[in-house]
């Protein structure tokens, strides 16, 4: 009972001044209680930190999933539009090539017709020249026969 009337600070001092295992156990118990409070406060702070960051992580994970879905959608739309655009460009190019091909075929047919006409005209001219040449040869032969005594 006498020790209960002594203030707690003095009790610790008295306990620490008294040699023996009881004093050491009392001092260790006091340190353990302070250490327990400190660790408990750190644990609570860590739990609070983990909870807050867990909520933030869940929020960012949800945003990430939504953004990934948006990216996937946009990539599909881009692919579809590129296919459509390429198809339109390819179709336009094919049509332009077909027009060019038709023009070149027309020019080729016109050149072939012109060549045929020129060949026909040249053949006719050659025929006329041969005919004239034969006539001139005959006339020359006749002139030579007249001059020869």
């Amino acid at each position: 009972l006498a020790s209960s009337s002594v203030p707690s600070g003095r009790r610790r001092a008295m306990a620490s001044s008294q040699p023996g295992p009881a004093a050491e156990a009392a001092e260790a118990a006091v340190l353990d209680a302070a250490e327990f409070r400190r660790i408990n406060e750190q644990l609570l702070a860590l739990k609070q930190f983990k909870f807050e960051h867990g909520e933030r992580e869940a929020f960012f994970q949800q945003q990430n999933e939504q953004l990934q879905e948006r990216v996937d959608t946009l990539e599909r739309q881009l692919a579809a539009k590129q296919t459509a655009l390429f198809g339109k460009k390819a179709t336009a190019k094919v049509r332009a090539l077909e027009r060019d091909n038709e023009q070149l075929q027309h020019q080729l047919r016109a050149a072939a017709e012109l060549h045929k006409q020129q060949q026909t005209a040249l053949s006719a001219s050659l025929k006329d020249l041969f005919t004239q040449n034969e006539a001139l040869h005959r006339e020359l032969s006749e002139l030579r026969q007249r001059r020869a005594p």
Side-chain angles (χ1 to χ4, degrees), residues 95-106:
R95 287 182 185 150
L97 288 172
E98 286 174 345
R99 282 193 304 271
D100 290 345
N101 189 24
E102 288 174 12
Q103 289 174 350
L104 291 172
Q105 285 180 355
H106 177 70

Side-chain angles (χ1 to χ4, degrees), residues 58-91:
F59 172 76
F60 287 131
Q61 182 66 29
Q62 183 183 12
Q63 275 191 330
N64 186 34
E65 290 171 4
Q66 289 173 350
L67 291 173
Q68 187 61 45
E69 288 176 15
R70 178 80 172 130
V71 166
D72 293 343
T73 301
L74 290 174
E75 285 177 347
R76 284 192 301 273
Q77 289 175 353
L78 176 63
K81 288 182 180 184
Q82 284 177 334
T83 302
L85 181 61
F86 177 74
K88 288 178 184 178
K89 283 184 179 179
T91 302

Side-chain angles (χ1 to χ4, degrees), residues 88-128:
K88 288 178 184 178
K89 283 184 179 179
T91 302
K93 285 182 181 180
V94 167
R95 287 182 185 150
L97 288 172
E98 286 174 345
R99 282 193 304 271
D100 290 345
N101 189 24
E102 288 174 12
Q103 289 174 350
L104 291 172
Q105 285 180 355
H106 177 70
Q107 289 174 354
L108 183 61
R109 281 189 226 110
E113 184 63 33
L114 179 62
H115 182 265
K116 188 176 181 180
Q117 290 173 357
Q118 289 173 345
Q119 186 178 6
T120 304
L122 182 61
S123 293
S125 293
L126 279 175
K127 199 181 239 185
D128 287 343

